[in-house]
Amino acid sequence: MTTLIYDGTFEGLLTAVFEIYERKLQHIKLFRGEWRNAALFEELVKVITDDHKYERVLKGLRNKLSPAGVQLLYVASLSEIKTSDETIVGYIRHAFDSDRNIEEDFGNRYVLRVSEIVQMVRRERHRMEAFVRFQKLGDGVFYAVVEPDFNVLPLLIKHFKDRYADQKWIIYDQRRKYGIYYNLHEVEYVEIDFSRKNNNGGASVVFNEDEGLYQHLWQNYFNSVNIASRKNTKLHLRHIPKRYWKHLTEKF
């Protein structure tokens, strides 16, 4: 068994695939993070992300899969689910070994599992598009905190850039300690070490002076349109799981 350690990026994962083929490895595990001590009878390979190797694997995938098929692999890599990397490698091996397009070969366990993972990640992206609640900071930037189950921030960029093209905004993933920032021209990835003392990632101290008023108005609106006699807690929890509530203004 060979364990390949890489940096957790999609480019790093495809570099690892290049190493697997170059070294003719069969039984492998993938590990995201720093170099660690090897267990007995375990071989470790430290993968350094390499643009040339990554591009070669990507070019091969584009010859075997449709653009949508390549995108599926990228989305699946954002799941951070245990063994998802090995599943993606299995999918890629199957694609390279086959003389036909394998994207709908759901009889193959890797193809089926990638499809399932992608559905979960896309469902989480859809929820984030609906549940993000911006709050205006003192400098006019709109700020939101999220804690998604999967690493979906890269999948949110287009939606929020199109929807809020005339506003500066930050969406910060409190669990993964990074965010996306739109400056009216482009979106950048940012890393901010916010305090975790409150649900707002420590940003409440710089709220715009009118933010409290707008939150109060939204809460009043939410309460006024609620029909108590039609309350269905079970259905409500199915659509808005409780783990999202602490970042929803109407639930403060």
Side-chain angles (χ1 to χ4, degrees), residues 54-98:
Y54 152 71
E55 289 290 349
R56 281 189 60 181
V57 175
L58 185 60
K59 181 179 179 181
L61 287 173
R62 286 170 173 163
N63 289 333
K64 288 289 188 175
L65 304 172
S66 68
V70 176
Q71 177 70 9
L72 289 182
L73 296 178
Y74 172 66
V75 173
S77 73
L78 299 175
S79 71
E80 303 175 340
I81 293 174
K82 188 176 181 180
T83 74
S84 62
D85 289 339
E86 288 83 357
T87 298
I88 293 169
V89 171
Y91 185 109
I92 291 173
R93 280 175 155 171
H94 182 46
F96 284 155
D97 291 344
S98 180

Side-chain angles (χ1 to χ4, degrees), residues 33 87 200 243:
T87 298
N200 297 313
R243 64 181 181 275

Side-chain angles (χ1 to χ4, degrees), residues 78-80 121 123-125 127-129 132 145-154 156 171-178 243-244 247:
L78 299 175
S79 71
E80 303 175 340
V121 174
R123 187 181 304 118
E124 187 73 352
R125 178 202 64 189
R127 284 173 169 168
M128 289 299 101
E129 290 174 351
V132 164
V145 177
V146 295
E147 293 184 71
D149 290 343
F150 309 122
N151 182 23
V152 296
L153 283 197
L156 299 178
I171 302 175
Y172 183 74
D173 186 336
Q174 190 163 292
R175 178 177 298 176
R176 295 167 184 84
K177 297 290 187 182
Y178 86 99
R243 64 181 181 275
Y244 301 110
H247 297 306

Side-chain angles (χ1 to χ4, degrees), residues 134-158:
F134 286 104
Q135 301 174 69
K136 193 173 184 179
L137 303 182
D139 59 2
V141 175
F142 288 86
Y143 169 78
V145 177
V146 295
E147 293 184 71
D149 290 343
F150 309 122
N151 182 23
V152 296
L153 283 197
L155 305 180
L156 299 178
I157 290 174
K158 185 180 186 305

